[in-house]
Amino acid sequence: MSRRPCHGSRGCSRRTVSMASLADQLAALPAMSPAQLRAEWRRVYRAAPPRLTPDLLVRGIAYRLQERSHGGLPAGTARELDRAAKRLLRGDSVGALGDTRLKPGTRLVRHWNGTSYSVLVSGDGFIMDGRSFTSLSHVAEAITGAHWSGPRFFGVKASVSGPVGAAAASSARRVSAARAVAV
């Protein structure tokens, strides 16, 4: 039996869980009664279970068991999820998962009206044909003569802002561990 240590993530105890017993524990969850699931929640979370459906209790327990075995989310991901949750609570929208970054040295190519345009991402903006631009939208406007969303024009998935193209996209926070894991 292989043993994997917990990597000290949030709410994760330092004890080890064998991989075989983890698989057995996960397989047993769907067959448990609601009362058994609430008792299992108390055991793995060391807290009273929330008022959730049995399906969500199963998912939450499975998440915690896997978190203990394999470790939890990286700290950066947890912070990003927390920021997204705060935006949701304020009623703001939350962008796509992940963070799109255009690193200096990246070359963007776009064909427009029979001409190929190449743009180099620099440390403080964008360079095309020896000219410097502060945003991709300015580059797109120079190419087309009309206002365009630069990220859309160049096919960059998330909105790109700032001199090196750091996107402000966030991901939704895990409001409950029960929603985070599909069994």
Side-chain angles (χ1 to χ4, degrees), residues 6-117:
C6 171
H7 298 290
S9 299
R10 285 189 213 183
C12 183
S13 70
R14 289 281 180 189
R15 71 183 181 101
T16 58
V17 177
S18 82
M19 295 304 287
S21 72
L22 174 63
D24 293 342
Q25 289 175 337
L26 293 175
L29 290 175
M32 290 184 178
S33 70
Q36 290 171 318
L37 288 170
R38 287 189 295 277
E40 184 67 4
W41 184 284
R42 280 186 202 90
R43 185 184 74 77
V44 299
Y45 280 98
R46 295 189 177 115
R51 296 182 62 127
L52 296 173
T53 64
D55 179 58
L56 290 177
L57 288 172
V58 166
R59 291 170 189 250
I61 294 165
Y63 176 85
R64 179 52 63 100
L65 292 173
Q66 292 174 76
E67 181 182 50
R68 284 183 178 170
S69 178
H70 303 295
L73 293 172
T77 301
R79 281 191 304 272
E80 185 176 344
L81 291 171
D82 288 338
R83 283 192 300 268
K86 289 176 185 171
R87 289 182 63 196
L88 284 173
L89 290 173
R90 287 193 313 255
D92 296 343
S93 64
V94 177
L97 285 175
D99 189 14
T100 301
R101 295 193 184 275
L102 297 176
K103 296 179 182 169
T106 300
R107 186 166 302 276
L108 303 172
V109 178
R110 173 67 152 91
H111 299 284
W112 177 257
N113 288 341
T115 304
S116 181
Y117 296 91

Side-chain angles (χ1 to χ4, degrees), residues 109-156:
V109 178
R110 173 67 152 91
H111 299 284
W112 177 257
N113 288 341
T115 304
S116 181
Y117 296 91
S118 178
V119 177
L120 180 66
V121 178
S122 69
D124 59 350
F126 303 92
I127 301 170
M128 180 182 73
D129 296 334
R131 294 174 46 202
S132 293
F133 296 88
T134 57
S135 75
L136 272 180
S137 294
H138 291 139
V139 175
E141 186 172 355
I143 292 170
T144 65
H147 178 73
W148 276 75
S149 162
R152 178 172 284 175
F153 182 78
F154 283 96
V156 178

Side-chain angles (χ1 to χ4, degrees), residues 155-172:
V156 178
K157 295 292 182 196
S159 65
V160 177
S161 60
V164 294
S170 297
S171 62

